[in-house]
Amino acid sequence: VIGTSVQATSRLDEFGGSIFYMNRTHRWNWGASLEQTPYVSRGFEAGYIGNTYVEREYRYLQRDQSATAFLTYPFSRAWRVEFSGGPRRIGESYELTQRTYSASSGEQLTEETTPLQEFPTLNLIEGSTALVYDTSIAGATSPIRGSRYRMEFMQSGGTLRYSSVLADMRTYLMPIRPYTLALRGMYYGRLGADGENEMLPTLYLGYPGLVRGYDQYSFEASECVGGTAGSCPAFDRLVGSRVAVANAEVRFPIWGAFNRSQFYGPLPIEGAFFADAGVAWGQSLRAGTPQGDQTPVVSLGAAIRVNVFNFAVAEIDFVKPLDRPTRGWMWQFQFRPGF
């Protein structure tokens, strides 16, 4: 098995991607992967200085690069154990972009980017063990029946020493065909002496696969009232060294909802209604910002997923983040199957 993935924004330094190979010829499966993942956090502040309107954007970027070898052994069709390990490199930058505008005409006058802090490169050696249970049945766009569990422990050494714990439990029930009730509970945390070191990649609740409606690029300066320079309380509450997430979703094939004799029909399109919730706690991990307020965030919404020629699953969300008082319903787009 060979696979690839790519993610990109308008900035070259936020490019990410991965490539992996797996050999399943024998019962002991083995393989390797190369990966680069960008983690971006932003803070905002704005105001008038004389006849000039000034916006300041604080951007914290981490690039996580790794090479991993892995080995798996299935005990049965449902249970397997996984081992993995390899080197990992993390580089960081923290910068301020200041834009000024004419208060009378609104014309942009200047834009300057200034580095605020330099960080040492982080070099690690990691090893992990995971116990996995999987009886899920995949539909064209999301799992529709069964259960999936993953319990994982990872130990890191090198520049920093810390442990990571992951517990991810998902179940898919179909009380009435073709409607699936999908439930997920997940915890991920870093423990140990260096578990909250600011050089580690940010744990952020607002990624689309966790709590929808809190995407980092959707925040505006007007939502950051009450923050100190470079901080945004509405954003900082989403960042920590440990996160817990709960998701519930009712998903159904749109064609099958009206024609019970077929499931997906001529087009593999799925509709869904969802509720997401999550909480982050521990140190903020963002340079120059205070610890978040450690209160949960919740969102509600509806989604449509489409299988794009078996190449990818495209998802469009119409979501209301309940803990962003100044934001109403909003659209989000992503390429990924349902959880």
Side-chain angles (χ1 to χ4, degrees), residues 240-287:
S241 59
R242 304 169 193 178
V243 297
V245 175
N247 309 95
E249 187 171 287
V250 177
R251 56 181 63 145
F252 53 92
I254 293 178
W255 183 274
F258 298 97
N259 186 344
R260 297 298 180 87
S261 63
Q262 300 185 48
F263 200 80
Y264 286 106
L267 294 175
I269 301 178
E270 176 181 81
F273 298 98
F274 63 83
D276 297 337
V279 62
W281 68 98
Q283 184 176 327
S284 171
L285 296 181
R286 291 181 60 228

Side-chain angles (χ1 to χ4, degrees), residues 98-335:
Q98 179 169 294
R99 305 175 183 91
T100 61
Y101 302 84
S102 169
S104 57
S105 66
E107 178 185 1
Q108 182 171 340
L109 303 176
T110 64
E111 179 173 331
E112 297 179 352
T113 299
T114 305
L116 295 180
Q117 189 173 349
E118 294 184 358
F119 299 89
T121 300
L122 188 61
N123 294 293
L124 302 171
I125 295 293
E126 298 179 332
S128 69
T129 301
L131 182 63
V132 182
Y133 174 83
D134 191 349
T135 61
S136 62
I137 300 174
T141 54
S142 305
I144 56 175
R145 294 288 296 271
S147 299
R148 303 163 67 184
Y149 311 136
R150 183 180 186 88
M151 310 295 291
E152 182 175 6
F153 176 82
M154 183 182 72
Q155 181 63 48
S156 297
T159 307
L160 301 176
R161 296 182 62 86
Y162 65 94
S163 303
S164 300
V165 176
L166 170 68
D168 190 342
M169 307 181 71
R170 315 178 189 195
T171 191
Y172 312 99
L173 309 172
M174 189 178 289
I176 303 175
R177 178 185 169 92
Y179 297 90
T180 294
L181 174 61
L183 303 172
R184 175 175 69 172
M186 187 192 75
Y187 165 83
Y188 178 75
R190 297 194 184 103
L191 312 173
D194 296 318
E196 295 192 338
N197 192 288
E198 65 178 12
M199 291 191 294
L200 292 172
T202 303
L203 301 184
Y204 180 60
L205 281 176
Y207 290 119
L210 299 179
V211 181
R212 286 162 281 195
Y214 296 86
D215 183 84
Q216 58 191 356
Y217 298 106
S218 68
F219 281 83
E220 300 175 347
S222 60
E223 298 183 73
C224 299
V225 177
T228 58
S231 71
C232 178
F235 186 95
D236 296 337
R237 69 188 300 184
L238 304 171
V239 181
S241 59
R242 304 169 193 178
V243 297
V245 175
N247 309 95
E249 187 171 287
V250 177
R251 56 181 63 145
F252 53 92
I254 293 178
W255 183 274
F258 298 97
N259 186 344
R260 297 298 180 87
S261 63
Q262 300 185 48
F263 200 80
Y264 286 106
L267 294 175
I269 301 178
E270 176 181 81
F273 298 98
F274 63 83
D276 297 337
V279 62
W281 68 98
Q283 184 176 327
S284 171
L285 296 181
R286 291 181 60 228
T289 65
Q291 182 173 326
D293 60 13
Q294 303 178 3
T295 55
V297 294
V298 180
S299 64
L300 303 173
I304 292 179
R305 300 188 185 96
V306 181
N307 186 303
V308 184
F309 305 110
N310 285 327
F311 175 76
V313 175
E315 177 177 330
I316 300 175
D317 301 316
F318 189 51
V319 55
K320 175 66 169 71
L322 301 185
D323 296 284
R324 297 176 64 180
T326 63
R327 293 303 299 264
W329 289 87
M330 55 190 293
W331 296 95
Q332 282 189 310
F333 178 80
Q334 58 179 314
F335 280 107

Side-chain angles (χ1 to χ4, degrees), residues 12-93:
L12 184 61
D13 60 0
E14 295 180 7
F15 172 85
S18 66
I19 181 170
F20 75 91
Y21 168 81
M22 175 177 284
N23 189 308
R24 293 178 173 174
T25 305
H26 305 288
R27 189 162 186 176
W28 279 101
N29 302 161
W30 60 273
S33 67
L34 296 173
E35 184 173 7
Q36 174 170 294
T37 305
Y39 297 90
V40 185
S41 299
R42 285 179 166 85
F44 303 90
E45 62 178 347
Y48 287 92
I49 300 178
N51 294 324
T52 304
Y53 180 74
V54 179
E55 286 186 351
R56 294 189 178 98
E57 176 186 351
Y58 297 81
R59 188 180 73 125
Y60 179 51
L61 170 66
Q62 294 173 318
R63 286 193 294 179
D64 191 342
Q65 301 166 315
S66 63
T68 306
F70 48 86
L71 185 68
T72 69
Y73 184 83
F75 298 113
S76 65
R77 292 185 176 183
W79 289 99
R80 68 179 183 271
V81 63
E82 299 181 355
F83 307 95
S84 64
R88 183 180 180 189
R89 181 180 183 276
I90 300 174
E92 304 175 87
S93 64

